[in-house]
Amino acid sequence: MKSRFALREINAAAAAVFSVAAVAAIPVTVQANADTGRYVVGDFHNHTTCSDGQISVQRLVNKSVDTYGLDWFAMTGHGGSGNRNCILADDAQTALDSGVADQFPFVDGQGPQTSWTASIGNDAIKGDPSGPEGNRRMWRWQSIEEFQYPLLEAMSEAKQKPLFVAVEQVVPGHEHNNTSVIDGQLPEGGGGNGTKTAEFEYCFDRGSGDLSRGGDGARFDCAVPGSELNAMLDTRGRKLVGAFNSGELGHQKALEGVKWLGTFHPQTSFFVPAHVERAGVFNPNGNNGWNIEHLRNFNNAAPTVAFGMEGGPGHQASSTRSYRVNSPGGGTFGGAGYYTAKVGGLWDALLGEGRNFWIFNNSDYHNRGMFGPEDPRSTNDQYPGEFNKSYVLARSGNGPLTPQAIVDGMRSGNSYYVNGDLIDRLGYVVCKANDKGQHKGDSVGSLKYKNEVAKAAAAGTGVFNDDCAQQGEKLMVAPGDDLVVYMIMRDPEGPNLAPYTFPNPSLQQIDVTIPLNTPVLDHVDLIGGRVTGYVSPEDPLYAGAAPGGLGGEEDSPAAVNPSTAVITTFNADNWKSLPGGWKQMFYRIKDVQESQYLRLRGTNMPAGVPNETDADGNPLLDLLADNITFYPAEFDPRCSDAEEAASIINCAAHLQAQDGGRRLNNDVEAWTDLWFYSNPVYIEVEGSVPVEGVEPRNNASGVAVATR
Amino acid sequence: MLRTSRHPITHGLLAAVLTVFSGTLGAHEYYSGRFTIIHPWAVTAPAGAETADVFMKLVEISEDDRLVSAQSSVAEAVELIPPGSAPEGEIGIPMTAGTNLSLNARNGHLRLHNVRMDLHTGNQYPMTLVFDRAGPVDVDFVIEPD
């Protein structure tokens, strides 16, 4: 599995597919003026010692884009304040590898654990003083603006990759959210700034107790034009404070933040809530999670900004694979949160409205748990690009990849996420069949666009054809039309980044022996649901929690889509295997009458694997993997010796002993059970319910924009 | 669009002083449904250390409860050190609805006995906290520089 520097593999990959698909004989109908874009891999949720991470900015970036080959990287870190200087390199080699050691040299005796007080002195720390004199805290807005951004800009130049600054907002009334405002960042010619991201953090992070308005008492202003809440702004800080940092009022402040982004930065920012199930359902008197009405509120308020959520949380190597038992659904399911993993659940309810609401995954990297930063094992996090990967279609023409192209790609919904390099290429479009009346029987019929889609997938680009729609787009069709779903993906050959070579413990339960580091795609589900239109805020079905059985409470009818189902499943019996690990599959939808959406998920787990999947192939609660015991000593006798085993990675001696072997947990569990999720393709049938959240694709501009 | 930065950073020339990360709102949290646990932490300790203290905050406590015990695979035992003001014989550390509680030397905290492995700065290690009403809650405590 060749997961690094994927963009450099395009030619070889294309050759592999073309050799069997004879694409050259088929005319390709991509419009000359369409920018087909390219899928680029990135991460926008991670941490350094500026918040509660373990390492410096330099080390995290080096790992993310050099070691793990990400195409782009947005550094977050919690809002609020911090007392450590995260731009002090961990060591001389880290500084050297950063490419900017001349500007940001290693300082002997200092590192990312060194305090701001000890490294730059209290006089340089701005805003209202926070923390004791000997260990003063720096407000996040200042570290973003004056320290994190300049370093990222310099490293962008050195590494020739877009590295920009974001923030993991500590959201009033809720938990966390990932936001970047890219205005000012990485401009051509240099001299950019992260000021607008800093201002957003100052204004709308509940951890920011600073009222200095950017240090000088005048720079930052948190008013939202026309808002009634402007009268409630603190007179000195020009922001909502006090009771607006919790519960219902907190949500109102969070909503003001989204409106602020939508007003001032409608095309240059994103608001993507993080690990949305982790803190439980919404708490009107505290700061916990999100219900569907909150996500609807955000999307209604600023659809070009609040266009998605983290469907796949980070911390995948933690003992609970991210969530604990008191999150909706009781934890994660195949690494996905309950809102995403449940077929017909909260995400499907949003898609069933026809909203532009997409899912992503991220690393949420803090540290490797009980291991150091260089150890391949982890009991907490994997690096950006090591396990969780979000692929986003970015269109930057013939120019370099820019933050704007990335944010546009995120907004477009043309993206998918993957665990553990289960796949590394995906072509997924729905096209008009164009052979209605000529098509007979149960065959798929004409596959007019087969090779066009295969070629695009091999090249890692999008597909632009007026008869087809991609993820995040809608296909406009007439009642009675037939459609063909084209799907092709690559299960890369060779090992992924897992450090373990023993057989996959979960698959061993069903007598299947596959090394853990060479996962094999088992099947792909095509999932669909009806679109029934936006729910009005006045409708009783607008609001309701989805606790997933937590506390004995079932999901509100507001947060489900009963029409959603697995339409069909593809596996080795009915997909076409092509050289190079490619799997190609098709599905015909006959006589379409209702507006709907279609999305994909795939996994290396067959249906009915004990403690992993149910009989229908749905992922089970990840905590159940604790029931699985595996025996590394069967494959390496040295693992029988406790002292020796501790130094042998393949012995997985960090996992809890259980029944004479090891309990399947932490990073080993994550590498065991891999999934990918696409975003939806919408189909709008003339005379049926309009898909209001998505515009028909415009080939000329190459951007589908939600303007409802 | 990518070019040389014009933002050299001037590092302070103060003596190298490592500092304890002071946990902040929103960072390193655990949710029980009845309260939120903020940033459990300890300082570096070598394998074989007789004791190592663990601290944290408990905030947004919505119901009375009591921390009654804890376990961790990195130590032979975990002892609950009661608040200095605790009546003799009181079990565990009480938590009162509507309050926040900092577990520290004054309010009570946890103490690892006979540490089994080196506790390195920046790493984090598992611990299960057991509450009278909320039951067991798994957390990880982060190691900070001494």
Side-chain angles (χ1 to χ4, degrees):
Chain A
M1 178 173 294
K2 306 170 198 128
S3 59
R4 296 175 61 183
F5 310 111
L7 295 178
R8 298 177 187 172
E9 300 171 14
I10 287 174
N11 290 341
V17 169
F18 297 163
S19 65
V20 296
V23 169
I26 308 296
V28 174
T29 57
V30 175
Q31 293 189 359
N33 63 347
D35 177 359
T36 54
R38 57 182 169 136
Y39 285 103
V40 290
V41 192
D43 189 283
F44 56 94
H45 182 179
N46 42 69
H47 299 268
T48 67
T49 57
C50 265
S51 60
D52 55 344
Q54 182 182 30
I55 57 178
S56 67
V57 174
Q58 291 93 321
R59 195 170 194 172
L60 183 61
V61 173
N62 292 346
K63 284 287 185 185
S64 302
V65 305
D66 296 337
T67 305
Y68 296 112
L70 288 185
D71 301 309
W72 57 276
F73 172 88
M75 182 195 167
T76 51
H78 297 285
S81 62
N83 62 333
R84 297 178 296 179
N85 186 341
C86 61
I87 70 164
L88 290 171
D90 310 67
D91 48 54
Q93 189 61 49
T94 296
L96 192 64
D97 292 344
S98 75
V100 295
D102 55 334
Q103 301 167 74
F104 299 87
F106 171 63
V107 180
D108 195 23
Q110 296 194 341
Q113 304 286 349
T114 304
S115 70
W116 292 111
T117 295
S119 58
I120 66 170
N122 284 355
D123 289 347
I125 300 175
K126 297 178 178 176
D128 298 342
S130 174
E133 186 76 15
N135 188 11
R136 190 59 56 77
R137 301 181 71 83
M138 179 182 286
W139 296 109
R140 180 69 60 240
W141 64 260
Q142 185 187 0
S143 69
I144 287 172
E145 190 176 27
E146 298 183 13
F147 296 91
Q148 295 167 230
Y149 176 77
L151 172 54
L152 288 169
E153 186 181 272
M155 290 185 75
S156 282
E157 166 66 16
K159 296 182 183 296
Q160 288 294 295
K161 289 188 178 181
L163 313 170
F164 52 105
V165 74
V167 65
E168 186 183 5
Q169 178 197 12
V170 184
V171 185
H174 302 280
E175 205 204 14
H176 301 161
N177 158 68
N178 305 301
T179 281
S180 178
V181 183
I182 60 169
D183 290 284
Q185 298 200 46
L186 306 184
E188 190 170 354
N193 64 79
T195 299
K196 288 302 174 183
T197 298
E199 185 174 9
F200 172 81
E201 190 280 333
Y202 167 85
C203 286
F204 301 107
D205 193 291
R206 68 174 150 92
S208 178
D210 183 35
L211 297 175
S212 73
R213 299 183 63 185
D216 67 354
R219 285 200 305 146
F220 296 162
D221 193 318
C222 312
V224 176
S227 173
E228 295 178 353
L229 293 181
N230 289 342
M232 307 295 287
L233 296 176
D234 179 86
T235 52
R236 184 166 82 89
R238 292 290 293 165
K239 63 201 262 188
L240 296 169
V241 299
F244 281 97
N245 281 329
S246 181
E248 291 285 5
L249 287 177
H251 175 67
Q252 293 305 313
K253 178 176 176 180
L255 194 55
E256 289 288 286
V258 172
K259 292 175 180 174
W260 186 90
L261 292 170
T263 301
F264 297 114
H265 311 285
Q267 301 297 326
T268 51
S269 67
F270 59 79
F271 180 96
V272 179
H275 37 68
V276 283
E277 299 91 345
R278 188 173 78 173
V281 301
F282 180 68
N283 174 1
N285 300 306
N287 290 299
N288 289 85
W290 323 72
N291 294 351
I292 194 167
E293 64 269 27
H294 308 108
L295 303 175
R296 284 170 166 153
N297 287 346
F298 297 137
N299 185 251
N300 286 346
T304 62
V305 173
F307 49 71
M309 64 183 180
E310 245 178 32
H315 295 308
Q316 293 270 320
S318 67
S319 61
T320 57
R321 201 167 173 182
S322 202
Y323 296 158
R324 286 167 168 74
V325 294
N326 41 34
S327 63
T332 51
F333 297 76
Y338 175 71
Y339 294 169
T340 291
K342 179 185 175 183
V343 173
L346 185 148
W347 184 39
D348 284 309
L350 295 168
L351 299 182
E353 293 181 87
R355 285 184 187 271
N356 63 319
F357 207 82
W358 325 124
I359 57 167
F360 305 91
N361 70 357
N362 281 302
S363 66
D364 201 356
Y365 184 81
H366 287 69
N367 56 50
R368 299 187 80 79
M370 60 198 297
F371 297 106
E374 298 303 322
D375 200 298
R377 298 164 292 184
S378 177
T379 58
N380 199 37
D381 305 329
Q382 293 115 339
Y383 280 107
E386 183 182 4
F387 183 80
N388 272 357
K389 292 185 177 179
S390 283
Y391 290 75
V392 173
L393 190 87
R395 295 177 226 191
S396 51
N398 295 322
L401 182 61
T402 63
Q404 186 67 64
I406 293 159
V407 173
D408 286 345
M410 291 170 65
R411 181 186 302 110
S412 77
N414 200 336
S415 64
Y416 58 99
Y417 88 62
V418 182
N419 301 147
D421 294 312
L422 178 63
I423 63 170
D424 67 348
R425 290 280 194 283
L426 174 66
Y428 169 45
V429 298
V430 182
C431 303
K432 296 175 184 175
N434 288 328
D435 64 348
K436 189 171 176 65
Q438 305 160 35
H439 167 254
K440 303 292 183 188
D442 293 331
S443 69
V444 178
S446 170
L447 297 172
K448 183 178 177 181
Y449 302 114
K450 176 179 73 173
N451 293 321
E452 182 178 334
V453 176
K455 179 182 176 184
T461 68
V463 176
F464 294 89
N465 183 307
D466 285 341
D467 284 341
C468 304
Q470 315 177 83
Q471 296 170 88
E473 299 176 351
K474 68 178 176 184
L475 185 65
M476 307 293 289
V477 302
D481 277 355
D482 284 4
L483 311 176
V484 174
V485 185
Y486 293 80
M487 297 153 280
I488 184 167
M489 59 206 70
R490 183 169 68 177
D491 175 354
E493 297 177 324
N496 64 7
L497 295 165
Y500 308 102
T501 60
F502 49 75
N504 185 316
S506 296
L507 294 177
Q508 284 220 290
Q509 297 178 106
I510 56 170
D511 298 324
V512 171
T513 299
I514 296 176
L516 193 60
N517 65 339
T518 56
V520 176
L521 183 66
D522 180 79
H523 67 271
V524 174
D525 290 326
L526 176 64
I527 297 170
R530 284 202 304 273
V531 171
T532 52
Y534 275 54
V535 180
S536 164
E538 287 73 41
D539 191 316
L541 291 179
Y542 186 81
L550 200 63
E553 298 289 326
E554 297 306 316
D555 294 351
S556 161
V560 300
N561 184 345
S563 73
T564 308
V566 175
I567 296 172
T568 192
T569 296
F570 298 95
N571 55 32
D573 294 334
N574 58 354
W575 65 34
K576 184 176 182 180
S577 292
L578 301 171
W582 290 90
K583 317 294 182 193
Q584 193 174 39
M585 52 211 91
F586 311 99
Y587 185 79
R588 190 178 185 100
I589 298 175
K590 298 176 185 176
D591 190 25
V592 63
Q593 298 291 336
E594 294 180 306
S595 296
Q596 58 195 277
Y597 66 90
L598 300 166
R599 62 181 179 90
L600 302 178
R601 70 177 181 188
T603 178
N604 66 330
M605 284 290 121
V609 175
N611 302 301
E612 294 287 10
T613 50
D614 68 15
D616 297 322
N618 296 302
L620 295 175
L621 192 62
D622 286 322
L623 291 171
L624 293 173
D626 286 0
N627 296 325
I628 302 171
T629 303
F630 67 107
Y631 302 89
E634 290 182 0
F635 309 99
D636 188 339
R638 295 176 298 172
C639 299
S640 298
D641 182 284
E643 280 194 20
E644 200 170 5
S647 62
I648 299 170
I649 289 171
N650 224 26
C651 292
H654 58 295
L655 302 186
Q656 186 173 332
Q658 178 169 279
D659 297 336
R662 296 288 170 187
R663 173 183 291 182
L664 182 57
N665 203 344
N666 292 113
D667 55 337
V668 181
E669 180 194 343
W671 290 112
T672 296
D673 173 30
L674 308 177
W675 292 75
F676 81 85
Y677 283 79
S678 82
N679 276 301
V681 178
Y682 280 111
I683 297 148
E684 181 174 314
V685 181
E686 184 182 349
S688 181
V689 178
V691 179
E692 291 187 85
V694 179
E695 290 289 316
R697 182 171 48 77
N698 179 333
N699 271 337
S701 70
V703 178
V705 181
T707 56
R708 180 183 185 271
Chain B
M1 64 102 196
L2 298 172
R3 70 289 146 297
T4 303
S5 169
R6 302 297 180 210
H7 297 271
I9 298 298
T10 303
H11 296 297
L13 298 177
L14 300 177
V17 178
L18 295 179
T19 185
V20 170
F21 163 64
S22 43
T24 185
L25 189 67
H28 188 206
E29 300 170 341
Y30 301 92
Y31 298 87
S32 79
R34 299 163 186 255
F35 49 82
T36 300
I37 301 165
I38 306 282
H39 189 55
W41 64 279
V43 297
T44 52
E50 289 187 7
T51 63
D53 289 347
V54 180
F55 310 99
M56 66 194 74
K57 289 181 180 177
L58 299 157
V59 303
E60 298 188 349
I61 301 168
S62 61
E63 298 177 24
D64 287 354
D65 207 334
R66 184 178 297 270
L67 175 60
V68 292
S69 65
Q71 302 95 40
S72 173
S73 59
V74 304
E76 282 188 14
V78 182
E79 179 187 9
L80 263 60
I81 307 296
S85 59
E88 189 157 345
E90 181 170 81
I91 297 172
I93 299 173
M95 302 154 55
T96 305
T99 68
N100 298 329
L101 176 63
S102 288
L103 295 187
N104 54 33
R106 187 181 60 194
N107 295 337
H109 60 283
L110 299 105
R111 178 166 291 162
L112 308 178
H113 286 274
N114 298 327
V115 175
R116 289 175 167 144
M117 62 179 69
D118 292 339
L119 304 181
H120 293 287
T121 299
N123 290 10
Q124 64 182 52
Y125 300 88
M127 174 178 279
T128 301
L129 305 173
V130 181
F131 297 88
D132 188 24
R133 298 185 67 182
V137 178
D138 293 331
V139 302
D140 291 289
F141 61 96
V142 174
I143 304 304
E144 300 182 346
D146 195 356

